[in-house]
Amino acid sequence: MGTFGSGRNNSATARSVPILGPVPTATNPSPVPSVPPTASSSASPLRRPGFRWYFAGQTVSLLGSSMAPVALAFAVLDASAQVGDLGLVLAARMLPMLGFLLVGGVVADLLPRGLVLVTAHLGAALTQGASAVLLLTGHYSPWSLAALGLLNGALGAFTSPALRGLVPELVAKGELQRANALLGTVRNGTKVFGPALSGVLVVAVGGGVAIAIDALGYLLAAAFLARIPAPAGRAPSPAPRHLGRELREGWDAFWHTSWLWPVTLAFCAVNLVNTGSWQVLGPRLTADLSSPATWGLVLSVRGAGMLVGSSLLYRLTVRRFLLWGQLAVVLNALPLLALGTRLSVPWLVAAAFVAGVGVSVSAIAWETSLHEHVPTEVLSRVAAYDDLFSYLAIPVGLLAVGPLGHGFGAHQVTTVSGLLFVVIALLPLAAPAVRRLPRAAPER
């Protein structure tokens, strides 16, 4: 599920490995846990060594990645002063991610997910390092950054399904909400400090330094992820399998999960109207309202709201988690409406904080629902279909928002985007399967 203003945080050939047994669906959930299923919901996932290394790798990687968007946005705008160039660079990353996502899901279900992640992080370190060199040496061109973005997007297509499929291998089902809350906490904590630090670096030494730090973060994260032990219960079978059949099995599991596809399709429409307005028009409108540094402040405060939301969910248990998560999505429209209606900076900052809480609740509810109700052996493929449809419209939105803003006015486009966001986010609640999805009982 694409979340407000973010993507969900890569190239290989799938080995022909079978999936044992029938294709599980929502009516036939039969995941085999890779960890002893004796933990209660009150146990800390950090007591498991595999999850500790995963947690450390994510912490380092996310800190660098939280600095990159601010650095990249202002590096491009300072170099070209063309909003369309920023849209081109951002869209270039999305296109190969969409093209390879399904293959990435197959690879992550068939190969060791830790190996996929280490390889992808090493590749991302190279692409981000090359981007930093271009910016630091003054050899910027939108096409060179877009080309590196294409490579980075291809790597991301393999990273996301592997990340989302690995957590249930590292913790027991009763620990999943706490594990996702911990991961959300570190993700959101980096969004508090990362953008602010990046804003200071942009003013002091330029955006290339923040991009270079992101590249180093990928290297260190790869070292941590390499320490994750191989999970039990995923031994390959000698029987050959074909990519087409693997994709069909993933599609069957996705489509027959009746609560999953309504939310995914809604987020496809949400990302169409939201991502371009926030990522492309947001920095410019915020700079016009106050100064470029205010954009970093807004992102940091939004991260603080996300941190509060994830911290609360580490302790609280929500019965209809998906229902409340979908209601929380609506809060993400507030900063768009604040920007579009030209509210003052304090109102914009307050809206960003509330939206951050909504982001965290909706994201943790979604990931926990996937982990609890989708079997592990097909989880990465289901997550890949989820990502594909959620992100499908993002390049269109990124490329279209510049001309739309020029033709109709940036404030008007942002306001309409916020209103459409509210309507679309509420549509999945018309499906009883979304409203009534229960929490899965922990294994005994």
Side-chain angles (χ1 to χ4, degrees), residues 143-432:
W143 295 106
S144 59
L145 282 184
L148 290 168
L150 288 171
L151 295 174
N152 207 293
L155 295 168
F158 290 82
T159 299
S160 179
L163 283 172
R164 300 178 72 190
L166 188 58
V167 174
E169 295 181 354
L170 303 177
V171 301
K173 183 174 288 188
E175 300 168 350
L176 281 171
Q177 179 178 329
R178 285 198 160 196
N180 285 318
L182 279 171
L183 292 169
T185 298
V186 71
R187 183 184 303 112
N188 302 331
T190 60
K191 290 179 180 179
V192 175
F193 302 105
L197 177 59
S198 183
V200 172
L201 290 173
V202 167
V203 173
V205 292
V209 173
I211 302 295
I213 292 174
D214 189 25
L216 293 175
Y218 275 117
L219 282 176
L220 186 56
F224 287 145
L225 292 170
R227 302 294 302 273
I228 296 176
R234 294 194 70 200
S237 165
R241 297 298 294 268
H242 300 288
L243 177 62
R245 184 171 180 180
E246 304 293 347
L247 292 176
R248 283 195 301 272
E249 289 181 347
W251 171 255
D252 286 343
F254 174 85
W255 187 249
H256 288 93
T257 306
S258 56
W259 55 267
L260 199 157
W261 58 265
V263 180
T264 299
L265 295 182
F267 266 89
C268 178
V270 160
N271 284 329
L272 174 65
V273 302
N274 164 70
T275 309
S277 299
W278 181 251
Q279 294 188 3
V280 177
L281 298 181
R284 196 187 85 183
L285 294 180
T286 306
D288 293 343
L289 188 65
S290 178
S291 70
T294 306
W295 179 243
L297 172 64
V298 168
L299 294 183
S300 292
V301 170
R302 178 171 167 268
M306 295 169 72
L307 183 61
V308 169
S310 56
S311 299
L312 288 174
L313 287 178
Y314 186 76
R315 294 293 179 187
L316 297 179
T317 300
V318 183
R319 185 165 177 262
R320 301 289 183 186
F321 209 3
L322 185 60
L323 167 64
W324 287 103
Q326 198 61 27
L327 289 172
V329 172
V330 178
L331 301 176
N332 304 332
L334 294 179
L336 287 176
L337 295 173
L339 279 174
T341 55
R342 296 180 173 90
L343 294 183
S344 61
V345 171
W347 283 106
L348 174 60
V349 169
F353 179 84
V354 175
V357 176
V359 168
S360 187
V361 172
S362 62
I364 295 171
W366 183 249
E367 290 302 303
T368 302
S369 298
L370 283 175
H371 292 157
E372 287 184 345
H373 294 278
V374 178
T376 346
E377 59 266 29
V378 76
L379 178 56
S380 287
R381 277 170 289 174
V382 169
Y385 278 108
D386 169 41
D387 280 341
L388 176 63
F389 291 117
S390 294
Y391 297 156
L392 192 61
I394 288 180
V396 178
L398 290 172
L399 294 173
V401 73
L404 286 173
H406 180 74
F408 297 98
H411 290 93
Q412 289 79 357
V413 170
T414 305
T415 300
V416 172
S417 297
L419 294 174
L420 288 174
F421 191 120
V422 174
V423 175
I424 296 168
L426 292 175
L427 284 177
L429 295 179

Side-chain angles (χ1 to χ4, degrees), residues 423-443:
V423 175
I424 296 168
L426 292 175
L427 284 177
L429 295 179
V434 175
R435 298 195 307 270
R436 301 171 185 170
L437 184 73
R439 297 298 304 276
E443 302 101 329

